[in-house]
Structures are given as C-alpha cells and as structure tokens.
Amino acid sequence: MKLLNRALRLVVRPQLLATETPEEAEEDFARFAPLLVHRPPYLLRLVSKGSPDIHWITAGPVAPRGVILHFHGGAYIAGSPATHAGMLGQLSRLSGLRVAAPDFRLAPAHPAPAQFEDALDAHARLLAIGYRPEEIVLGGDSSGGGLALALLAELCRRGQRPAGLLAFSPWVDMTLSGESLRRNADRDPLLPVSRAAEARGYALGRFPAEDPRVSPLRADFDAPPPVCLHVGTTEILLDDSRRMAAHLRACGGTVSLREWPDAPHVLPMFDGYAPEAREALEDVARFIGTLDGVKRAG
C-alpha cells in the first residue's frame, strides 16, 4: 500500500491538480484508466444501445438471474463503463453476477439532475427486460456511489426495493460539509481537496447542492436493504461514508462499513497493485452472497 500511495502522490495527484478543464479530465481518464487498471482474464463488455447505453460486463460464468447495476465514478465529469471495466469484470468474476454499467450523461454539458434521471432510466430498462427489483444489486464508486444511494432512496419510496447496495468511497454530500475534507486534506494520496468545490460546480451547474438527488446524505430511506460501504481512513471523503452509514442505520437499515487504513480513493480500482484491493472486492462478493433474491453462479 505504501508504494501505491507514493506513486499516486507523486504522479496522479499532481496531474489532477494540473488539469485545467473538465474536458481534459475526461480525456485523461479515458486515455489512462484502461491502460493502468488491471483486467481479469475473459473480460467481456457488450453494449446495449439506449438512453443511456448499458455496458454488460462479465469475466467468467454468471448466474442467469441477478445483476449488479453499477454507476462509475469520476466526479460526474469523467469516467465511463470502459474506464471501470477491469474493476467491474473482477467484481463480476468474484460475485458470479453480470454487471450492468450505464454510460450516463456527464457534466458540465449535462449538469444535475441528468445523471439521476439516467440512473432511473437504466433501472427501468432492467425491469423491462425481466429483472425483478429484488434481483438487482445497486453499486457505485465515488460520485457513482452517491448516485447509487440517491437512486436507492427513490426506489425505496416507489416500492421497488433492490436486494442491496455496495459503494466504494461514495461522494454523498455535495455541500462539502464533511470534516474529513479538512482533516485529511494533506493525507489523501490521490484527491486534492482544493479541486472539490470546482468539481462540484461543474457537476451541479445551478442545481442545489442540498437536493437529495445529488446529496443522498439528506435523502429519506424507507426501509432500506442491506448496504456495504468501503472507504480509506486517509480519504477526504471518509466522513461521507461514516455519516451515510449512520444515516442509513437511523432509517432502519443494516450497514457494513469497512475502513481501510491508509487506502486510496476507490481502493478496488487498484486491484493488482495492492492485495487489499482484491480483499475489498472479495468482501463485497461475500456481501452479495448474503442478499435475499440474488442467486450467484457457482
């Protein structure tokens, strides 16, 4: 983990600080992530056209029923199912479920609530092709974790409760009120806190930061299903996960919160570089195996 963090601090973090525009951020993520993120054997990514396109990702046998609806990170301005295909393929292999990754619209061309609307449409498409609500596991990382949790609140309100939810380092509070943004400003090996407000501005446009569609920390959750959260102890978003876990528990939910000492943002993206990244993916796969309504391959 120390070598990984040193590399991130010396190479990636300065690049994030130097990036001048959201378009440049998107281009850099698209260019480098597929080269750096390890891809499991037999990785397969098929695209189903629609609004939004859905990328079906597997890396081996999967169950005929059950699916992980996963929303990628990138601060709502970068990233895609392609940039996250390696991590999601490994998640599919370990869980025995196929992953449906929506290629939702990005800001600033499409500010909030465009991503939330696309998330609703992606879930509706899964229902339309025959998945039952209880056969769907929601997932997300970083901003995509926040998007998954915002979707969860709405689905619970509609009576379409999914089997459960997993999130890696979710960004759940667009008001940027978490104390870890200041406490871990110099400790986070990857994310520069000085760019947080700027990224929020691109993502929101004129949309209010307090709206639960972008800040699920402020959402109401009606009998939420089990939730599994993973976060690093030195992340600037550490308190987002801690407060989200407390909020879900207050709403009657069961939450597993695992905090990884000194782990970088979205630890599983670094599978192959640190053994803890694989351990995190295996932990989530075990969590999925405990969910009612989801039958894994194997």
Side-chain angles (χ1 to χ4, degrees), residues 19-289:
T19 300
E20 295 183 353
T21 67
E23 292 78 15
E24 184 181 343
E26 183 181 2
E27 291 172 3
D28 287 347
F29 206 161
R31 183 184 305 115
F32 294 116
L35 300 176
L36 298 176
V37 177
H38 284 200
R39 301 162 68 89
Y42 311 111
L43 179 66
L44 180 64
R45 180 167 57 90
L46 302 175
V47 181
S48 175
K49 292 294 184 180
S51 297
D53 291 350
I54 292 180
H55 295 228
W56 297 91
I57 298 172
T58 59
V62 291
R65 308 295 306 180
V67 63
I68 302 169
L69 178 59
H70 188 98
F71 301 95
H72 69 80
Y76 298 109
I77 64 173
S80 70
T83 61
H84 287 61
M87 180 186 76
L88 297 180
Q90 195 66 264
L91 178 59
S92 174
R93 185 185 72 82
L94 292 169
S95 67
L97 296 180
R98 58 177 42 85
V99 174
D103 194 9
F104 53 83
R105 290 171 290 172
L106 297 177
H110 303 283
Q115 296 75 34
F116 181 79
E117 293 168 352
D118 285 355
L120 283 173
D121 289 343
H123 182 267
R125 287 178 63 190
L126 295 188
L127 298 181
I129 62 176
Y131 285 106
R132 297 189 295 271
E134 63 272 17
E135 294 175 328
I136 300 172
V137 180
L138 301 184
D141 60 274
S142 192
S143 54
L147 182 55
L149 283 155
L151 176 63
L152 175 64
E154 177 63 17
L155 295 180
C156 288
R157 186 189 70 81
R158 295 183 179 190
Q160 297 177 332
R161 186 176 184 266
L165 181 145
L166 63 95
F168 305 116
S169 307
W171 187 13
V172 301
D173 178 18
M174 279 286 195
T175 70
L176 302 180
S177 64
E179 177 57 32
S180 57
L181 285 165
R182 287 154 286 280
R183 186 176 68 250
N184 285 343
D186 295 327
R187 302 177 68 207
D188 193 310
L190 180 60
L191 297 184
V193 71
S194 61
R195 305 302 297 267
E198 181 183 4
R200 176 185 64 179
Y202 288 132
L204 294 181
R206 297 182 178 180
F207 198 71
E210 299 83 3
D211 192 290
R213 288 171 288 180
V214 293
S215 291
L217 185 61
R218 298 168 181 265
D220 294 324
F221 292 87
D222 183 8
V227 170
C228 181
L229 305 177
H230 284 244
V231 68
T233 59
T234 55
E235 289 195 53
I236 58 174
L237 293 180
L238 171 61
D239 285 353
D240 277 38
S241 286
R242 287 178 171 176
R243 292 182 296 159
M244 193 74 243
H247 180 50
L248 288 165
R249 289 166 181 153
C251 292
T254 300
V255 183
S256 169
L257 172 61
R258 185 158 185 185
E259 298 183 7
W260 294 89
D262 303 320
H265 186 60
V266 189
L267 173 62
M269 282 289 279
F270 303 100
D271 181 43
Y273 296 99
E276 293 90 344
R278 177 64 58 85
E279 187 180 345
L281 287 167
E282 291 172 343
D283 185 80
V284 165
R286 287 190 293 270
F287 164 76
I288 292 172

